[in-house]
Amino acid sequence: MKAIIAEKPSVAREIAQLLNALERKEGYLTGNGYCVTWALGHLISLGMPEDYGIRGFDKASLPIFPDPFHLIPRKTKQSNTYKPDPSALKQLNVIKNVITQCDSIIVATDAGREGELIFRYIYEYLKCTKPFERLWISSLTEQAITEGFRKLQPGSDFDSLYAAAKARSEADWLVGINASQALSIAANNDVYSLGRVQTPTLALICKRFQDHNNFKKKKYWQIQLKHRKDYLDFTSLSDTYWEDEKHANQILKAIEREGRATIEDVSIETVKESSPLLFDLTELQKEANRKLGLSADEVLQIAQNLYEKKFITYPRTGSKYIPEDLWAEIPELIRVLNTTDQFKPAITTLKFGNFNKRIVNDLKVTDHHGLLPTTKIPSALTASEKSIYDMIVYRLLESLSEHCSKEITHITIKVHHYQFNIKASKITIKGWRAVRGILTDNTNPDPTDNNTNTQEALIDLPEFKIGDELKISNAELQKKTTTPPKLYTEADLLSAMENAGRQLENKNQQQILQSIGIGTPATRASIIETLLSRSYINRKNKTLVPTIKGLQVFELIKDQKIANAEMTAEWEIALDKIEKGELTNNQFINDIQQYTAEITNELLSLHIPQENIPQLKCPKCQQHYLVIKDKIVKCPDEQCGWILFRMICGVQLSIKDLTLLLTQNKTSLIKNMKSKNGKKFDAYLALDDKLNLIFKFC
């Protein structure tokens, strides 16, 4: 009998179905010589400080260096304490019973660093010694699973992958726990959270926010000329811009008097736009955020659902390529997609027998290849699932198409000694742009963006020769302003995280970070959600902005190493070496302990000014002063239990308004609150007779 351990119940059911293990038991399926069970994500985790006898935030205990680390069943928060998760304990017992009755194990958790860690932590916690093999697949189709079982690999082949995963897990614990406790102690036990990935990400958001707010706008003027030649209308724009409106007006009048311009230069350049590569997870999240307004976490969940329904390949990939041996399956995949009416028009633009092979690169395929649809065509999807699925299919079709060829025309004209430019673009070969008929990237220009001429217009121009005269039909002065750096959307932040290495001076670190960035494709969404849950950032319309607390943390740590992307580069270099067997866990963890000791001491030495918090009595029991935190206001008496959440319809209740509410039963007018349907409104807040919060409108 062989035990098979999958990462989720849905994956276990697919495998059991294929292996004809159809008898249902409590927590597993059995039959045909197999017992198929599952984890529920991370069933086992590293113990918290209290599991080592350290309770509360104790300065004398820092830094905490567990030796060895304790593995414990997953915990959930209940009241003010963390207790073992009953569902985790139950499933661990199931896995233990399954392993006991089997001779060997087949590991079928997700094929990657975290999937390996999930199984190995269970294996270590249960003190199991039975032999195991590894199932390594990139999709859940019958063909992929069958092929994977035919090519099972020895578990020992993945020891170095586990070593890297274990080292990353323990190092994150050391830095995150010690740094968070140190900063919290420095802040008089107000709870703060720091981490290797979340803190540099917070720094990116805060710095962009400050750069945006501190930007000094400047007015300037440019002159635009209108022309008509051979029945075609077009415009030109001055090379020069003027900061003095009066001076610009004088030049405008001189140009109007002249009435004509002279063609000084004509250049026509043919530009080839390569077809896009396949989506990796981060690129899919960015595209879906820009076009659909979905958060990175929402995209990941939707893609995971599509994967578990066998409609797409493994979504948590960092590669945009496929290996050579997969190329032979692409024509059949396109043939299957061509049976769907929706994709037939796009597929007719492809050149069968001559697909573009740009996506094939064995060297650039990491744990998993780029995102692909499978040969299983969906019959019923939710609107968001269909949108993501369609994006993946169309990206595949675009990647198989030939390049798009454009003819870029750049005309320089002169009036007096002032130079004007005419730019235009003409598509000569549609290539991959014919798949969806999108002929320009600038399909939704920002009407508030005054920086024109950043995109060549897709227009035809008449023929020009140097020395020709061109009539000016109209001239006008255009008032413009310089624009500040835009606040991050999730798509922009994902790009910044992905390309964090560009700012580093160390070329070796820069190269590493250019390939992996801050975090990994699988973790970036959760990092953003963590910053939101910690009240370090908020979503404001489509942008991410720091809260007062987030800015306070940034000001405290912005000049320290924990806020820099350099540490991520150093870790990834080391983890890569561990995977290759060039570095041991002990060497890496020793370095991390030294670093942890440094940042812990730095953070403990900080002085954090406290918010001027008033003493306000509980309106319910009238006996105790309220505990006022970032997110909540509550009575310390558990029997009383009065509580108020400070975030009201997207706006955080200020100390001033909280004081007014509890002393005068009415806040000041709070503006820009947002209702469930997304509409903004203004209102006063008050408490009713039962001390529930109510709105009072003007």
Side-chain angles (χ1 to χ4, degrees), residues 132-146:
F132 60 89
E133 297 174 285
R134 192 61 161 100
L135 175 71
W136 194 270
I137 55 177
S138 286
S139 78
L140 292 175
T141 61
E142 183 176 326
Q143 179 183 351
I145 296 172
T146 302

Side-chain angles (χ1 to χ4, degrees), residues 494-525:
L494 289 169
S495 288
M497 295 172 76
E498 192 177 29
N499 299 306
R502 291 181 181 178
Q503 307 302 319
L504 299 180
E505 293 180 6
N506 184 303
K507 295 300 179 185
N508 188 30
Q509 291 178 340
Q510 189 181 84
Q511 186 176 3
I512 293 291
L513 268 185
Q514 278 183 338
S515 62
I516 59 95
I518 297 177
T520 66
T523 61
R524 286 175 189 137

